[in-house]
Amino acid sequence: MPQREKLYEGKAKILYSTENPDILLTVYKDDATAFNAQKRGQIPGKGEINCQITAALFEWLASEGIPTHYLDCPQPNQMRVKAVSIVPLEVVVRNIAAGSLCRQTGLPEGKVLSSPLVDYYYKSDELGDPLLTRKRIFLLNIITPDKLEEIESMALKINEKLSYFFTQCDITLVDFKLEFGIDSQQNILLADEISPDTCRLWDNKQTDSTARIMDKDRFRKDLGQVEFAYQQVQQRVLTQLNK
Ligand code: UDP
């Protein structure tokens, strides 16, 4: 058993050190939270499913020229990643209005946006992950203008690639959240996860506005069949990648 020390426990994952200081181990949990952890529960099998979906998508994005922190999966719910310093921003890309965009602007859910919208939120549980402006990002010295440009252009490129990929899976990528890290050479790498916990995914094979939901909104809104929906996403993603 390699020596490992728990560095951080988040809502959905635990981060451990490894014998190599440049490598960390992420263990994906079945725990689910929503509304800034006011709603808590478990989705059986979620840890493995989200780890496998993330691994498959990160591997594919890397082959498409997007640098990521992903290395490999020693166990189905465990991922080895390059150690990076996480930029404290939740980078949300939206193609269709849903969730907080509708609540805060009055746009109707399902409205297709004329071009993708990139929103930045401050990663701070204490402050409730508030929406930021570019000027606030620089005011708080979160990141330099150059690096923010780089992150935005990577986020839009990832959106193009993922939207096309999910269309091939008969799934619409409504919106999703990304996190980025900076390595010791100051490279920006895609980090964290891409899974039904962090994306809104609508099943193109379903017309009903509830039946089509394949993501964490099933948990947020108590729609049931959460595990089944996550399994469906995993199956379609892996099949599309011939895995
Ligand atoms: N999201 C996330 N983590 C967060 C907040 C949002 O992964 O802490 C994802 C969420 O699953 C959705 C997208 O980011 O795919 C946009 O979320 P939104 O701002 O609409 O917030 P919500 O409606 O989830 O409160």
Side-chain angles (χ1 to χ4, degrees):
M1 189 69 184
Q3 94 187 57
R4 61 185 207 187
E5 184 195 339
K6 193 195 271 193
L7 300 176
Y8 172 79
E9 177 153 7
K11 289 169 229 154
K13 299 189 286 295
I14 308 175
L15 195 63
Y16 294 94
S17 64
T18 69
E19 65 282 6
N20 182 338
D22 296 328
I23 296 178
L24 302 177
L25 182 78
T26 309
V27 177
Y28 283 64
K29 304 192 284 184
D30 289 352
D31 298 353
T33 64
F35 313 119
N36 206 11
Q38 288 171 52
K39 181 181 169 91
R40 287 170 186 275
Q42 286 246 324
I43 303 171
K46 177 172 85 79
E48 272 190 30
I49 295 172
N50 282 357
C51 184
Q52 292 304 306
I53 294 173
T54 299
L57 292 176
F58 275 22
E59 218 170 2
W60 177 72
L61 284 167
S63 76
E64 293 277 307
I66 305 286
T68 83
H69 74 160
Y70 170 75
L71 293 171
D72 57 21
C73 292
Q75 296 287 330
N77 70 330
Q78 296 185 2
M79 184 179 289
R80 293 185 335 128
V81 298
K82 286 181 209 159
V84 291
S85 155
I86 293 287
V87 178
L89 289 178
E90 300 202 335
V91 180
V92 171
V93 185
R94 303 175 188 275
N95 297 305
I96 294 178
S100 71
L101 179 63
C102 298
R103 291 197 298 275
Q104 293 171 354
T105 65
L107 277 175
E109 186 181 76
K111 184 180 166 49
V112 177
L113 307 182
S114 52
S115 59
L117 174 66
V118 183
D119 281 334
Y120 298 100
Y121 297 83
Y122 192 17
K123 245 174 88 71
S124 161
D125 287 339
E126 223 171 74
L127 299 174
D129 295 348
L131 180 64
L132 291 174
T133 61
R134 295 177 76 79
K135 287 193 175 168
R136 287 186 184 193
I137 292 173
F138 304 140
L139 175 76
L140 295 173
N141 282 318
I142 293 175
I143 196 161
T144 62
D146 282 4
K147 287 265 185 277
L148 189 66
E149 281 307 312
E150 212 180 312
I151 283 177
E152 183 152 328
S153 97
M154 274 174 82
L156 288 169
K157 212 193 272 182
I158 293 165
N159 180 47
E160 266 178 39
K161 292 181 185 297
L162 279 185
S163 293
Y164 177 68
F165 177 83
F166 277 115
T167 302
Q168 291 177 306
C169 302
D170 265 323
I171 292 172
T172 298
L173 179 60
V174 174
D175 60 28
F176 59 104
K177 184 262 303 179
L178 298 174
E179 293 186 25
F180 293 89
I182 301 186
D183 70 10
S184 49
Q185 282 96 53
Q186 294 300 302
N187 298 308
I188 295 179
L189 307 182
L190 176 63
D192 196 50
E193 69 177 285
I194 300 180
S195 74
D197 267 8
T198 63
C199 301
R200 280 198 173 89
L201 302 167
W202 290 351
D203 187 352
N204 295 342
K205 296 177 183 172
Q206 302 280 348
T207 46
D208 181 81
S209 63
T210 297
R212 71 184 175 188
I213 296 171
M214 303 180 86
D215 56 69
K216 198 161 128 184
D217 275 348
R218 297 205 75 83
F219 171 77
R220 292 188 186 99
K221 300 177 182 179
D222 288 320
L223 301 178
Q225 297 211 293
V226 188
E227 189 191 351
F228 178 74
Y230 278 52
Q231 281 167 349
Q232 288 289 302
V233 174
Q234 179 184 18
Q235 202 179 54
R236 290 199 209 171
V237 166
L238 296 187
T239 303
Q240 186 59 35
L241 292 169
N242 296 316
K243 289 193 179 222

